[in-house]
Amino acid sequence: MDRLEHLEHLDKHLVDELAQVARETVRDELREQTRKQRRRATLYAASGAVALYAGAALALAVGLLLALALPDWAAALITAALLAAVAYALRGAARPHRPDGTHRPSAPGRTVGGTAPAAPPSGLGMPYPPMPPVAPGGASGATGAGSPAPGGTGAVAPRQDEIDPEAPHDRS
């Protein structure tokens, strides 16, 4: 019995050592990867700072070139307007584009990527049942969608474009 306890202790000790070696290996690997990523991030930051100074030098050169022919204040104003136009163009280039060329995101409730399909994916006909041109209860057609039900005291029937065919129906 004493020998079995000794073997259990050895097994536990071996598992602990194995876990420690695995942790150290993973830690070393992550340290190496982060060292490479830190170096790359430092190089990107340095290139960005140098590009910023290059842009400032270019703006100064444009301003000085314009100052040869114009008053200094006009040259500075034109240089600022040019920089603002470039910044606006870059901001527009960074925005996501829609296929029709506009920059606005699609309205909520609209189908992304175009119009809704004419038929369901199963190909078994219309995706939704056709909607009657008048609200339920309007037999003569005098009460259309958006007008109160006959009697004048009921709730206003929703217009056809406000009805969500996917919404659950209350049948109480």
Side-chain angles (χ1 to χ4, degrees):
M1 184 87 96
D2 188 31
R3 185 177 173 122
L4 286 176
E5 289 176 9
H6 180 62
L7 287 177
E8 286 179 11
H9 176 68
L10 284 177
D11 286 346
K12 185 174 182 173
H13 184 66
L14 182 62
V15 167
D16 289 343
E17 282 187 41
L18 218 63
Q20 181 66 27
V21 169
R23 277 193 294 270
E24 288 174 6
T25 305
V26 168
R27 189 176 299 132
D28 291 341
E29 183 67 28
L30 288 174
R31 188 174 291 131
E32 182 65 28
Q33 286 179 1
T34 57
R35 185 177 302 130
K36 290 177 184 176
Q37 289 174 349
R38 276 194 310 254
R39 183 173 186 274
R40 185 179 300 138
T42 303
L43 290 174
Y44 274 123
S47 70
V50 170
L52 179 69
Y53 282 111
L58 180 64
L60 179 65
V62 168
L64 290 174
L65 183 67
L66 287 172
L68 293 175
L70 299 170
D72 292 343
W73 65 268
L77 187 63
I78 291 172
T79 303
L82 287 173
L83 289 174
V86 169
Y88 185 75
L90 289 174
R91 188 191 79 169
R95 286 187 170 178
H97 292 282
R98 288 183 38 196
D100 60 358
T102 61
H103 296 291
R104 292 180 293 120
S106 62
R110 300 284 181 199
T111 304
V112 176
T115 59
S122 65
L124 298 177
M126 295 180 53
Y128 311 112
M131 294 296 297
V134 290
S140 66
T143 58
S147 60
T153 60
V156 174
R159 294 191 321 249
Q160 189 169 0
D161 59 345
E162 293 177 344
I163 296 174
D164 182 8
E166 298 290 329
H169 300 291
D170 183 72
R171 305 255 182 196
S172 53

